[in-house]
């Protein structure tokens, strides 16, 4: 990396009384947010009571679209004893109020989770003929929400800012074979570190705090955000201008991040959040938190504006352009503090939940594991650049820093009430690796959530063991939120839930509230069906052959090997998707669906007996183990 002096950067960006075209021009020419006159008709802080008016109206307008998609999805399933026409008519008769609210959530896990999760999304898309043939296509069009955390934030953001293309279309736009962290020339698809640090420097020169989140966000933008200079002018709030968002033809995107709070434990000069820290969510309409040390929401478009007790501090200095799409991905993905502490503690401290259950095992584990972490030298180099260029220390460099819109509010805790800044990190550090939190809030009323987990819990081979789903159950139960009861990782392993689909919450008595207020959750863990895709979370390049294998493997997980493992699986998926909505319109679960649930729903029986190492052979070709597969697939 090359370093430079801040004095060589652009001066402070100040656009006074600017019209929207002027703001757009400013954002297209510089990464620095801009200052504008504050509008008079903005509710700067909204209490966390229900949805915002904008989201409420959007969701209501999407319901007829969802019902139309549901009809197309359900009809070819031919669920025995279920009348699709009657179901649709009853939903219309309720003025669409009872149309089920469904979503998907893609876990953290770096680029690997991003691409495998994209494969999952692809297998649910009615625009993919193979998915329609397998009768899983169309569920994606029936969803209201899609949420991403850390690596999962990459596809969720990218699909939204690119106007919801197909997975096959978007992968061509990503050019995943290009390494955005080591580019030696600036092109439309990548930029040198000098170029990206110059962008970051423009933001610093404008008087805003910068950190590794900005650098990571700029790198991610060149891959996942459309437009010149890595989508420089694309903001998260601009998603509302996408035609498929306006026409309610895409699910509503949610991102998740977490707070660093006063009193958090500290290692090597860096803080590590406790498991009950505040969870922030980012939507095209708002930024904020439902509960915790802060509770409330502020408009996403005006993120970065200094507020005190719910009012602007300077009516001539409201901020636009702070919410760059890349920065939102960076804020959800940046766990620099954990990467640094792990490296300097020799992987003994600041472990993600995915590393919390060391299994021990065979001496050849390291040679067969694809797991990795960022080299110490690289992290030190980044710290040196921020110190030399911006006079920032290690702590200042490590976290996203956002002007605190909740300052002065009585609803904020004392430390947040008096702080001018929020310090934000990857919510995986808070043991919330699957981004359920926003979707399980009562205001959203979720009925069914598809959870994709590729956060690599199980050592030494980095498959998944259900820890992340269990962690959300624990947090939801402690917060009084309706969520399925989930067993520990041992049950996932012993009952083979790590390699086959499983529903939680089918029986309302197996939920935290003993009620249908809890969604049914489908847990899908990345597993080796047709290829070994347990890539290291830091792998950020994939050649076309790998992408093809990833997409096929994810497709096989979602479709259960094109139905070869269970020809009735697609029907069972449809049964779970609509189950919560049936009693709302006076319909009953069919006998075929009951039989499905007896096979695929967790029955409340735990098996906490000792487990072995998760080291499967190919599920669709059990005679092929990793060593044999890798000899002809050296990725």
């Amino acid at each position: 990396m090359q370093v430079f002096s801040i004095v060589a950067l652009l001066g402070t960006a100040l656009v006074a009384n600017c019209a929207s075209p002027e703001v757009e021009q400013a954002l297209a020419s510089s990464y620095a947010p801009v200052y504008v006159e504050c509008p008079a008709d903005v509710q700067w802080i909204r209490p966390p009571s229900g949805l915002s008016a904008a989201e409420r109206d959007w969701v209501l307008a999407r319901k007829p679209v969802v019902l139309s998609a549901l009809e197309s999805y359900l009809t070819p399933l031919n669920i025995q004893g279920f009348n699709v026409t009657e179901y649709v008519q009853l939903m219309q008769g309720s003025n669409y109020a009872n149309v089920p609210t469904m979503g998907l959530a893609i876990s953290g896990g770096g680029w690997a989770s991003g691409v495998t999760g994209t494969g999952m999304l692809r297998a649910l898309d009615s625009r993919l003929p193979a998915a329609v043939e397998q009768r899983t296509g169309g569920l994606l069009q029936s969803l209201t929400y899609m949420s991403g955390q850390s690596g999962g934030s990459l596809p969720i953001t990218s699909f939204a800012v690119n106007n919801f293309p197909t997975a096959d279309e978007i992968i061509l736009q990503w050019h995943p074979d290009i390494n955005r962290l080591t580019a030696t020339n600036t092109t439309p698809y990548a930029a040198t570190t000098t170029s990206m640090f110059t962008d970051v420097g423009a933001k610093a020169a404008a008087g805003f705090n910068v950190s590794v989140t900005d650098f990571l966000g700029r790198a991610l933008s060149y891959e996942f955000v459309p437009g010149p200079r890595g989508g420089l002018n694309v903001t998260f709030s601009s998603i509302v201008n996408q035609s498929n968002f306006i026409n309610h033809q895409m699910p509503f995107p949610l991102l998740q991040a977490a707070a660093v709070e006063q009193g958090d434990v500290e290692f090597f000069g860096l803080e590590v959040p406790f498991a009950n820290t505040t969870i922030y969510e980012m939507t095209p309409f708002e930024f904020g938190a439902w509960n915790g040390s802060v509770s409330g929401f502020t408009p996403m478009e005006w993120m970065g504006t200094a507020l005190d007790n719910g009012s602007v501090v300077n009516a001539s200095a409201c901020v636009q352009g702070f919410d760059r799409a890349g920065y939102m991905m960076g804020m959800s993905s940046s766990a620099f503090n954990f990467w640094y502490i792990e490296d300097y503690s020799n992987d003994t401290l600041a472990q993600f939940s995915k590393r919390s259950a060391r299994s021990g095992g065979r001496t050849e584990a390291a040679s067969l594991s694809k797991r990795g972490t960022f080299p110490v030298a690289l992290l030190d180099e980044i710290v040196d650049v921020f110190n030399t260029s911006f006079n920032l220390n290690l702590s200042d460099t490590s976290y996203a820093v956002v002007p605190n819109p909740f300052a002065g509010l009585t609803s904020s805790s004392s430390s947040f009430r008096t702080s001018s800044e929020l310090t934000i990190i990857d919510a995986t550090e808070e043991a919330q690796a699957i981004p359920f939190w926003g979707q399980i809030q009562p205001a959203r009323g979720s009925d069914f959530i598809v959870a994709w987990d590729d956060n690599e819990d199980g050592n030494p081979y980095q498959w998944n063991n259900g820890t992340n789903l269990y962690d959300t159950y624990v947090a939801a139960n402690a917060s009084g939120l309706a969520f399925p009861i989930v067993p520990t990782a041992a049950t996932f392993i012993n009952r083979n839930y790590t390699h086959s689909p499983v529903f939680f919450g089918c029986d309302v008595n197996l939920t935290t509230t003993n009620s249908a207020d809890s969604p049914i959750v489908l847990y899908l863990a990345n597993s080796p069906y047709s290829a070994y895709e347990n890539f290291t979370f830091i792998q950020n390049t994939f050649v076309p052959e790998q992408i093809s294998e990833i997409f096929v493997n994810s497709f096989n997980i979602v479709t259960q090997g094109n139905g070869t493992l269970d020809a009735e699986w697609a029907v069972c998926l449809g049964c779970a998707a609509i189950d919560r909505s049936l009693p709302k319109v006076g319909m009953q679960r069919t006998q075929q669906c009951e039989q499905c649930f007896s096979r695929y729903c967790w029955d409340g029986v735990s098996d906490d007996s000792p487990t072995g190492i998760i080291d499967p052979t190919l599920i669709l070709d059990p005679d092929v183990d990793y060593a044999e597969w890798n000899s002809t697939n050296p990725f």
Side-chain angles (χ1 to χ4, degrees):
M1 295 182 181
Q2 301 181 35
V3 297
F4 51 88
S5 171
I6 271 188
V7 298
L9 300 171
L10 298 174
T12 299
L14 179 63
V15 179
N17 299 309
C18 64
S20 181
E22 294 176 285
V23 173
E24 288 295 326
Q25 184 177 4
L27 299 185
S29 63
S30 171
Y31 180 62
V34 297
Y35 293 102
V36 301
E37 290 289 333
C38 298
D41 58 348
V42 171
Q43 182 182 10
W44 294 104
I45 296 292
R46 179 184 71 82
S49 53
L51 300 178
S52 69
E55 182 180 341
R56 179 200 64 213
D57 293 346
W58 189 93
V59 169
L60 288 174
R62 178 151 172 81
K63 283 185 175 291
V65 179
V66 166
L67 184 60
S68 177
L70 255 181
E71 182 176 19
S72 298
Y73 165 66
L74 291 171
T75 299
L77 293 177
N78 292 316
I79 301 173
Q80 297 168 11
F82 179 73
N83 189 318
V84 175
T85 301
E86 178 188 5
Y87 177 79
V88 171
Q89 290 174 344
L90 289 169
M91 289 296 167
Q92 292 169 334
S94 73
N95 198 26
Y96 302 97
N98 294 320
V99 172
T101 299
M102 300 184 286
L104 64 80
I106 302 179
S107 78
W111 281 266
S113 181
V115 292
T116 61
T118 298
M120 175 272 295
L121 187 151
R122 175 178 178 269
L124 299 175
D125 194 338
S126 65
R127 296 169 294 182
L128 182 70
V132 174
E133 181 180 352
Q134 293 304 316
R135 300 181 297 166
T136 56
L139 184 56
L140 176 63
Q141 280 69 26
S142 306
L143 305 180
T144 300
Y145 292 101
M146 57 180 183
S147 57
Q149 153 64 36
S150 193
S153 75
L154 310 183
I156 296 302
T157 300
S158 192
F159 274 93
V161 299
N162 279 285
N163 202 29
F164 202 57
T166 68
D168 291 336
E169 290 168 343
I170 207 168
I171 202 69
L172 297 176
Q173 298 177 38
W174 289 354
H175 297 274
D177 56 326
I178 299 174
N179 191 327
R180 270 66 181 200
L181 300 178
T182 60
T184 56
N185 295 296
T186 296
T187 71
Y189 311 115
T192 64
T193 54
T194 298
S195 175
M196 291 189 288
F197 270 104
T198 299
D199 288 340
V200 175
K203 180 178 177 180
F208 295 92
N209 288 303
V210 296
S211 70
V212 71
T213 302
D214 293 278
F215 174 70
L216 179 61
R218 291 302 298 135
L220 294 172
S221 292
Y222 276 93
E223 183 166 5
F224 298 105
V225 182
R229 294 181 61 186
L232 187 64
N233 68 328
V234 178
T235 60
F236 203 70
S237 56
S238 72
I239 292 170
V240 303
N241 300 321
Q242 297 289 336
S243 63
N244 278 329
F245 187 90
I246 293 170
N247 297 324
H248 311 95
Q249 295 294 323
M250 70 164 77
F252 187 89
L254 301 165
L255 301 186
Q256 182 172 289
V260 175
E261 305 197 19
Q262 190 177 66
D264 284 344
V265 65
E266 187 174 304
F267 303 101
F268 299 99
L270 295 174
E271 292 175 299
V272 173
F274 288 106
N276 61 347
T277 193
T278 302
I279 297 293
Y280 296 114
E281 74 171 34
M282 297 86 84
T283 80
F285 293 132
E286 294 183 309
F287 164 78
W290 290 96
N291 47 45
S293 294
V294 300
S295 57
F297 295 90
T298 192
M300 176 60 74
E301 180 183 4
W302 300 100
M303 187 181 190
T305 298
L307 302 177
D308 184 65
N309 197 25
S311 299
V312 295
V313 173
N314 183 342
S316 297
C318 280
V319 174
Q320 290 191 297
F322 192 96
D323 66 319
R324 304 299 171 96
Y327 188 71
M328 295 296 104
M329 289 187 290
M331 192 159 67
S332 180
S333 304
S334 181
F336 190 86
N337 58 328
F338 262 38
W339 304 333
Y340 189 94
I341 294 170
E342 278 192 301
D343 275 348
Y344 272 87
S345 68
N346 194 27
D347 200 23
T348 61
L349 296 173
Q351 296 176 353
F352 290 107
S353 60
K354 55 180 165 280
R355 302 187 187 184
S356 63
R358 295 278 175 188
S359 304
R362 303 176 308 189
T363 57
E364 68 269 24
S367 65
L368 294 182
S369 173
K370 294 185 178 182
R371 186 74 170 147
T373 189
F374 290 105
V376 173
L378 174 62
L379 302 185
D380 284 341
E381 191 174 7
I382 292 173
V383 172
D384 288 343
V385 170
F386 276 93
N387 180 258
T388 303
S389 300
F390 308 117
N391 196 30
L392 298 178
N393 60 29
L394 173 62
S395 180
D396 294 333
T397 297
S398 299
Y399 309 106
V401 180
V402 176
N404 180 12
F406 309 108
L409 296 174
T410 56
S411 58
S412 301
S413 68
S414 58
S415 61
F416 280 77
R417 194 180 310 136
T418 57
S419 175
S420 61
E421 300 168 344
L422 301 177
T423 305
I424 301 176
I425 41 85
D426 182 337
T428 306
E429 299 185 20
E430 200 266 354
Q432 292 299 313
I434 305 176
F436 286 112
W437 206 248
Q439 292 197 51
I440 64 173
Q441 296 302 317
R444 293 202 167 104
S446 292
D447 295 301
F448 178 69
I449 303 173
V450 179
W452 179 262
D453 190 5
D454 192 10
N455 202 44
E456 306 173 347
D457 316 280
N459 288 293
Y461 302 110
Q462 316 314 325
W463 296 112
N464 303 283
N465 64 15
T467 295
N468 299 307
L469 188 62
Y470 174 77
D471 286 343
T472 297
Y473 151 62
V474 171
N477 192 43
S479 299
L481 293 174
F483 196 75
I485 296 171
V486 177
T488 62
T491 295
F492 276 80
I493 297 169
N494 290 325
R495 299 195 65 179
N496 200 37
Y497 297 155
T498 57
H499 304 306
S500 59
V502 56
F503 299 113
F504 292 94
C506 307
D507 181 348
V508 297
N509 294 312
L510 293 175
T511 69
T512 58
T513 56
N514 295 311
S515 74
D517 293 336
S518 164
I520 292 175
V521 171
L522 167 61
Y523 179 77
L524 295 172
N526 182 43
S527 308
Y529 272 58
S530 51
Y532 287 86
E533 308 299 348
N534 52 330
F535 299 106
T536 168
F537 81 100
I538 65 169
Q539 179 171 333
N540 66 341
T541 59
F542 300 88
V543 298
E545 293 82 1
Q546 286 175 293
I547 293 296
S548 177
E549 287 191 339
I550 290 168
F551 278 7
V552 169
N553 192 71
S554 292
F555 189 88
N556 281 325
I557 294 172
V558 173
T559 65
Q560 287 297 280
N562 292 314
T564 59
L565 298 177
D566 181 359
E568 202 176 20
W569 161 247
V571 172
C572 296
L573 175 58
C575 287
I578 61 172
D579 189 73
R580 286 290 191 262
S581 66
L582 297 179
K584 297 176 183 178
V585 292
M587 298 184 74
Q588 302 295 318
R589 185 184 295 171
T590 70
Q591 182 178 358
Q592 186 181 27
C593 290
E594 289 281 8
Q595 292 170 349
C596 280
F597 283 17
S598 69
R599 298 204 309 275
Y600 287 105
C601 293
W602 181 57
D603 55 8
V605 176
S606 295
D607 182 351
D608 292 321
S609 59
T611 63
I613 291 173
I614 304 176
D615 184 22
T617 56
L618 289 183
I619 292 167
L620 296 180
D621 194 355
D623 293 332
V624 179
D625 62 13
Y626 173 75
E628 180 179 351
W629 180 87
N630 195 53
S631 66
T632 56
N633 296 270
F635 300 130

